[in-house]
Amino acid sequence: MPVTASQTEPESIEQALPPIAFVDLETTGMRPTRDGITEIGIVLSDQGRITEEWSTLLNPEAHIPWKIQELTGISNGMVRDAPRFEEVAGEVAELLQERLFVAHNARFDYGFLKNAFRRLGIDFSPRVLCTVKLSRCLFPHQPRHCLDALKRVHGIHADQRHRALADAKSLHFVMQAFQQKVGSEALLSAMQAQYRRQSLPPHLDEHMLEGIGNTPGVYLFYGENDVLLYVGKSVTLRTRILSHFSSDTASDREMRMSQQVRRIETIETAGELGALLLEAELVKQRQPTLNRQLRRYRSLCSIQWDIRGGGQPEVVAIDRLDAANTPHLYGLYKTRRAALKTLKQAADDYRLCHKHMGLEKGDGACFGYQLHRCNGICVGEEPEMQHRIRMLEALLPLKIKAWPFNGRIGIREQHPASGREEIHVLDHWCYLGKVSHEEALEQLDTAVSARLDIDIYKILRRYLDKSGSIEIIDLAS
Ligand SMILES: [Zn+2]
């Protein structure tokens, strides 16, 4: 009985590979939600052969920075009369339809196209394959996987580096080189493996995630040369870390994060409070490049006002809160300027008199009175008590909450799965440190008292307000 060839021969790579679109973009920057596309190059390949080459310059509707003009050779003049993305979107969508989207550092090109389509209300969600990741998987000992390195290693010659079509075409040859060197089977299984870990950043090894569980703690992302990029916290570390990498097309910061991250470090804590406090401390101490910067301030400011005296509010420097001063303080500010700004805003919102509050000098009517923004205490039109009550209304939302305990306390956190225990020692919104068991509290008692910190104050206020069952140890005596 005759047997047809296709039934006996093992599938060749050409037959096994899906139709591919090799894609490369040139852009005006790195941020997919804000920067524009200046050039698209697409090379279609079916059964291992190039079947179509397509490219166009695009008007990015933005200025191309000089550095990028130098890199790509695409100048502002060249794209001035080029079509805008919406004019070619239909054609691009048709070319990419039902094809595997292959790009070098695919997250970048995919992110830009996804956003460009999204702005037109089109959902673009192809299956994506990244040749950086593929190369890392197939040749783990090779030090570099940028396109220039791959071309060198695999002997691919193409000119016009950093132009879209030339780079897209190089990718086709890179794939062919992969197949020749490792064989069809290994290439296909590496591709399969990548689909499974679709959401990992290009330069991050999968084993970096080994051993990271869903416990509370802090995570640190490191980039090239072990530069600290980002510090974050979560009560479920693993899930949170992975979520950074799945949403990268949505925000520029997430995009930059997953493009740059090379190594992840985690520090487990016993609970949420420990994670919050450690995150704040690490961000301040180590200044990661992608965090909103929290700086240590020498001294904080507050607005001091005693309603009983009816005097003028004063901006005061403050480095501790205690039972004596807290009742008269409204807000914590990083600078004197910020405190004054808040005070002026409160005055304007509540038709208070700048002159009466000491925000304006001189005699007679205040400037605001002439603009009908002051109810007129300065010219005797408003009774002092009425003004005082409105001022209280204005300042009350800013009032610093009195420390709701007698003095020093410990907050015990314990993680049910890991058994890890931490006791955080606090006094008047200051964090004095932590110990891992109650016996060690003795040693901490002699420690110097910590400075008042605006971020710690906010963390503690939120934490004590929302958490229902906190185990508090009274250490006041
Ligand atoms: Zn006035």
Side-chain angles (χ1 to χ4, degrees), residues 351-356 360 364-370 373-379 387:
R351 305 179 63 79
L352 297 165
C353 180
H354 281 218
K355 207 162 261 186
H356 192 75
E360 192 183 313
C366 71
F367 186 60
Y369 179 75
Q370 298 160 42
R373 284 190 200 142
C374 160
N375 279 4
I377 186 174
C378 47
V379 291
H387 188 274

Side-chain angles (χ1 to χ4, degrees), residues 264-303:
I264 299 175
E265 181 188 346
T266 55
I267 306 168
E268 288 183 20
T269 61
E272 185 190 8
L273 182 61
L276 285 162
L277 293 168
L278 183 58
E279 180 198 31
E281 185 188 330
L282 288 173
V283 170
K284 279 209 179 82
Q285 260 177 14
R286 303 193 40 196
Q287 313 252 321
T289 55
L290 295 177
N291 280 84
R292 186 177 57 86
Q293 293 301 318
L294 307 170
R295 294 207 163 76
R296 278 196 195 282
Y297 290 85
R298 232 164 239 291
S299 200
L300 292 171
C301 289
S302 185
I303 296 167

Side-chain angles (χ1 to χ4, degrees), residues 226-237:
D226 239 19
V227 168
L228 182 61
L229 300 172
Y230 185 79
V231 174
K233 59 104 214 342
S234 178
V235 287
T236 49
L237 276 176

